[in-house]
Every structure is written in structure tokens, then in C-alpha cells.
Amino acid sequence: MKRLDRWRSPVAIACAWAALSAFARGDEPARRKAWEWGPPSMDDAGIDRSAMEKVWTSLEGRRTTALLVIRHDRVAYERYAGGHGRHRPHYTASMAKAIVGGLGLILAMGDGLIRPDDPAARYVPGWGRDASRRAITVRQLATHTSGIEDAEGGGVPHEWLRGWKGDFWRYLPPPRDPFTLARDEASIIDVPGTRARYSNPGVAMLAYCLAASLRGAPDPDLRNLLKHRVMEPLGVPYDEWSIGYGKTTQVDGLPLVATWGGGSYSPDAVARVGRLMLRRGVWEGHQRLRPEAVARALEPGCVPGHSGLGWWVNQGADGTRLWRSAPDDAFGGAGAGHQLLLVVPSLDVIVVRNGEPLDPALDFDEALDRHLIGPVLGTLAAPVGTARPGAR
């Protein structure tokens, strides 16, 4: 009775009501001012003003709709085409492989729910009995080395593809949903772990493994995991990001969310994720991601290539660079239309670009390097002791 009497006092009732009201508003127990970037300043960020304006003029002519450059926690430079802005969501295309799938994997790894070298068959019913799929690991799904065929058809637009490949992109209900198709119908065309070959169905199976690893966790689906563990703590409003084509598909009792595409993020939201990764998971004194999990995600795979665990890393396992103009420690996410998140820890810079293809005549990464990465990084004054971008 004494415990009950304690809650009958006017002070206790007032405190309880305040707590309930705060919960309803989504406030934190001790409400804090939302974190923001420092005041815009190209001078403090060490950027050549006239050079950057020339870069923007070139990028604007190449159908760039958003360019956001963050340095030393300041908005060093930003320009937007009409109808676009720092807080206006834009489709991410395959950048979702990093900021959705890669980030989700980092969280699950940090929680001890999944390991990169786990057999995917541990999470996928039936694969243990399939000789061609039994050897696939979580790492291989995340680094495009699983041997699973991509859902492409020699440059044919997705909407024109037939069979399972066309259905993969149409995102039909089960049993023709992309996860079931990736699990059961996508062919194995390489011995797992022997060759880097881009695979959207492989990344779909990473989503399947992640969902299976989250079964019974406080956030058993990827959307809520990212919402509660990353986006809310980073101060990203819910109307500035969405993932998985806005869908959750139930397969084998798992709530599956697409990781290969289907995201829409504002440039500000993307840049905040970039800052979290640059700082190895620390956000304003709080360790949101385990640093060892971030470090593992940014290691290149054993097979020659430049894919970490969902993230592109500039220095490959063979020592080659993906983007010649960027320092070795650069990493990021990229998608069709040259959507880009570039993070360069040694230069303390984050670059976000949205728009349409920069140069269809060039290889995807060569176009990024020549028209965006090289020119933007070329306007920066390198910190003391750091080589200029592109220096060999």
C-alpha cells in the first residue's frame, strides 16, 4: 500500500503526467536541443571559393540537383537546383546498400547478433541442403562475392525484363517477391568467394539474413532498428528519410525491408549518417555504433575489388584505388544517377551529391572521379600532414 500511496501525492501525479506528455510528444527524458552543423563558412572550412563556384557551374550543367559539402562540422558549401534543398528527400538508388544494408549490418554485428563469416545458411532455411548455396557467407552477400547472379539483362531497362529478373524489380507480393526470388530462383554463376560481381539479389539476401538475426530483438525489423538506433539520435525527422520502397514484406515470418535500393533521404540526413561513420559511431559523446563493427565494415573484401560490408572503400585489397583523386581512407555509398555519399576522414570532409548521370559515356566510378570527386576535393586545403587529394 505504501507504494500505491506514493503515487497519490499531487507532486507525483504531476511528474507522472509530465513524463507521459513527454513520451507522447517523443521527447527525450531530458530534452536536448537538436544538434546542428556549424555556421556556413568556406574560409573556416579551407575551401577555395572561386574554384568551388566553378565546380558547381560544371556540376549544374551535368544535371546535379544537390551538392552539400561538410567540413570540420560546418556547411562548407551547398547549392541546389529549383525544387531541391538540404532537407528535401531525394531517391538514393543503390546508395541504400550502404546507408540501409551496411548500416543495419553494423548495428547487428555490434549487438552480437550476426557475424560476417557466418554461413548464410544459418539464417536462410533450405540453403544448408543446397550444395551451390551452402558455402555462401554473410560477408560474401555484403561484398558482392556470393556468386548470385544479378537481376540485370545486358542494359535492358528493368521494366522490360522478363522472368524472375523482371519480377525482382516489380516488387510483387509473395511468392514472387524479390526476397523469395533471390533465395530460390537467382542462379549461382560463380563459386562463392572467388569473384567480385555486383548482385542486387545478393544484397536482398543480406536483408533476409539481417531480419533473421533480429528475430526476438527489441527492433525486429530494419526500418525500426535504423529509426530508433540511428536516425532519431542523429536528429533526422521522419519526413526526411524512408527506405525499402515504403514496404515491409513478410516471408517465413520475417519482416523484410529492401536493402538494395528504394531509399529516399534528404542531403542533410545522408550527411549526418556520413558524420556518424566518419567518427566511428560516436555522436555527441554517445557511442551509437561499435567502432570495431564500423572498422570491419570498411575493410575491403579478400577478393580483388572495393566493396566493404555494404560500403564502397577507396583502397582495395590489392592496393588499387576506386577513385584516383581521393585519399586511400575515403569510403561511401553510391547509386544510379550518381547519387553519392563520400566520406574522407583524413580531410574531415563529407560530400553529398544528388542528380542524374554525370557522364553516360564514362564508367560509373570514372565519371564520379573526373567530374565530382576530383574537382570538389581539389578545392580543399589539406590538413597539416595530409597529402593533397590525388597525390601519389
Side-chain angles (χ1 to χ4, degrees):
M1 290 299 293
K2 288 184 179 180
R3 290 184 179 179
L4 292 175
D5 289 340
R6 186 183 305 162
W7 288 101
R8 290 174 181 164
S9 73
V11 173
I13 292 172
C15 291
W17 180 253
L20 286 171
S21 298
F23 178 81
R25 294 193 307 269
D27 295 354
E28 297 179 12
R31 190 170 179 80
R32 294 179 296 146
K33 182 178 179 181
W35 183 89
E36 281 296 344
W37 308 106
S41 173
M42 280 192 279
D43 293 334
D44 289 344
I47 289 182
D48 185 320
R49 290 171 176 265
S50 61
M52 186 61 89
E53 289 295 347
K54 290 178 182 178
V55 171
W56 169 248
T57 298
S58 173
L59 289 173
E60 188 178 28
R62 293 184 179 279
R63 300 183 293 177
T64 297
T65 57
L67 177 65
L68 175 61
V69 181
I70 303 293
R71 199 178 196 205
H72 307 326
D73 272 352
R74 291 179 176 272
V75 177
Y77 188 85
E78 61 181 332
R79 291 291 186 274
Y80 305 98
H84 298 267
R86 194 198 305 175
H87 299 285
R88 177 69 65 87
H90 190 283
Y91 75 91
T92 63
S94 285
M95 191 198 299
K97 292 178 173 67
I99 63 177
V100 179
L103 200 54
L105 181 55
I106 288 171
L107 286 166
M109 286 165 51
D111 290 346
L113 301 176
I114 195 169
R115 295 174 298 182
D117 294 320
D118 284 345
R122 177 174 296 178
Y123 308 98
V124 185
W127 273 20
R129 300 185 298 275
D130 187 318
S132 62
R133 291 169 169 78
R134 187 185 305 141
I136 296 174
T137 66
V138 171
R139 182 190 304 278
Q140 291 161 2
L141 295 173
T143 58
H144 302 281
T145 58
S146 66
I148 299 177
E149 185 180 9
D150 198 8
E152 299 288 349
V156 175
H158 292 161
E159 60 270 21
W160 293 358
L161 291 171
R162 296 182 178 181
W164 75 264
K165 293 183 178 181
D167 287 351
F168 180 91
W169 297 108
R170 294 183 186 99
Y171 214 120
L172 301 173
R176 300 299 294 174
D177 63 278
F179 306 97
T180 302
L181 294 171
R183 185 190 66 192
D184 300 341
E185 295 196 29
S187 300
I188 307 298
I189 57 176
D190 298 311
V191 175
T194 62
R195 176 176 177 175
R197 195 194 295 261
Y198 199 76
S199 176
N200 286 284
V203 178
M205 291 312 299
L206 173 64
Y208 191 109
C209 292
L210 279 174
S213 76
L214 294 172
R215 199 193 300 264
D219 290 306
D221 69 278
L222 189 54
R223 183 177 288 104
N224 279 306
L225 180 71
L226 293 177
K227 177 177 185 285
H228 296 143
R229 297 280 295 279
V230 176
M231 306 309 280
E232 287 182 342
L234 269 55
V236 180
Y238 200 60
D239 61 359
E240 288 194 26
W241 71 286
S242 64
I243 64 173
Y245 302 94
K247 299 179 180 180
T248 300
T249 301
Q250 294 285 336
V251 177
D252 295 331
L254 298 174
L256 301 177
V257 179
T259 50
W260 61 91
S264 181
Y265 283 59
S266 70
D268 189 75
V270 173
R272 287 173 183 250
V273 171
R275 181 181 189 263
L276 181 69
M277 291 291 294
L278 186 151
R279 293 171 174 264
R280 291 300 192 267
V282 175
W283 189 268
E284 296 309 284
H286 296 276
Q287 193 75 54
R288 301 294 179 184
L289 308 174
R290 289 194 177 274
E292 60 271 22
V294 175
R296 294 197 75 179
L298 299 181
E299 294 172 352
C302 298
V303 177
H306 294 85
S307 180
L309 300 178
W311 296 83
W312 295 114
V313 294
N314 199 32
Q315 186 175 37
D318 58 356
T320 60
R321 284 182 179 174
L322 181 61
W323 308 300
R324 293 187 298 274
S325 300
D328 289 344
D329 66 334
F331 65 90
H338 287 122
Q339 321 311 317
L340 178 71
L341 164 62
L342 176 71
V343 181
V344 188
S346 61
L347 296 175
D348 193 17
V349 67
I350 300 163
V351 180
V352 180
R353 187 265 181 186
N354 292 136
E356 299 303 318
L358 289 163
D359 191 338
L362 295 179
D363 169 80
F364 184 92
D365 288 296
E366 184 179 353
L368 277 176
D369 193 58
R370 182 183 300 185
H371 298 300
L372 177 61
I373 296 174
V376 169
L377 297 187
T379 70
L380 307 181
V384 176
T386 303
R388 288 284 297 175
R392 301 296 179 120

